[in-house]
Amino acid sequence: MWNSFWSFLWSTVVIFAFIAYLMILFNILVDLFWRDHKTSGWIKAVWVIFLVVLPYVTALVYLIARGKGMAERAREQALQAKRETDDYIRQAAGRSPAQEIADAKALLDAGTITHSEFDGLKAKALGQQLAMDRMVR
């Protein structure tokens, strides 16, 4: 099949171009059907038809015409996923440091713990908050 260096090089270029096209195609399809909720179904169908009939030209036109919006939608989706993850981490971590400190203050006011124990509980709660903030970032 590869009887010379040039045929091997040409095959490598063709395979690279095909894989690059597939990656671009999947990004375009994800953008059309999962991220872009404003474009009508007919317009989406026209894009898909052209992606099948004239694949490279249509992909290039799509990236030029809608690339900025594509990037903005991808960024917004990533930010939404980060917010959901952060909310889940906070929810799974349990009580907030403010709740821990308020409970410790109630114990201090009731005379159950000393002021130094209160300071230790407060430092522990604030330390957990700092650790959680580092995990989220």
Side-chain angles (χ1 to χ4, degrees):
M1 179 172 157
W2 295 323
N3 52 4
S4 72
F5 171 76
W6 296 110
S7 66
F8 171 76
L9 186 65
W10 178 250
S11 297
T12 303
V13 169
V14 169
I15 291 170
F16 175 80
F18 181 70
I19 291 172
Y21 168 70
L22 287 178
M23 291 175 66
I24 291 169
L25 175 69
F26 291 134
N27 277 325
I28 289 171
L29 292 175
V30 164
D31 183 60
L32 272 174
F33 291 105
W34 282 276
R35 291 185 191 141
D36 186 9
H37 303 289
K38 295 179 182 175
T39 304
S40 72
W42 290 104
I43 300 298
K44 291 177 182 183
V46 169
W47 277 113
V48 170
I49 289 170
F50 276 106
L51 280 169
V52 171
V53 175
L54 298 169
Y56 288 102
V57 173
T58 305
L60 186 62
V61 169
Y62 187 90
L63 292 175
I64 291 170
R66 297 179 48 110
K68 183 177 180 184
M70 189 175 177
E72 290 171 358
R73 287 186 291 276
R75 183 178 48 80
E76 184 58 38
Q77 184 183 23
L79 288 173
Q80 178 64 27
K82 184 182 182 321
R83 282 191 295 268
E84 290 172 2
T85 302
D86 293 348
D87 291 343
Y88 173 76
I89 290 171
R90 283 191 187 93
Q91 182 267 334
R95 298 166 31 128
S96 73
Q99 291 170 326
E100 293 287 336
I101 294 170
D103 289 345
K105 178 68 171 153
L107 290 174
L108 177 65
D109 292 341
T112 309
I113 61 173
T114 65
H115 194 66
S116 62
E117 290 173 324
F118 170 75
D119 289 338
L121 290 173
K122 183 177 173 183
K124 182 180 175 185
L126 292 174
Q128 288 174 347
Q129 178 63 37
L130 289 173
M132 189 165 40
D133 286 344
R134 287 183 185 133
M135 282 179 22
V136 170
R137 291 181 192 165

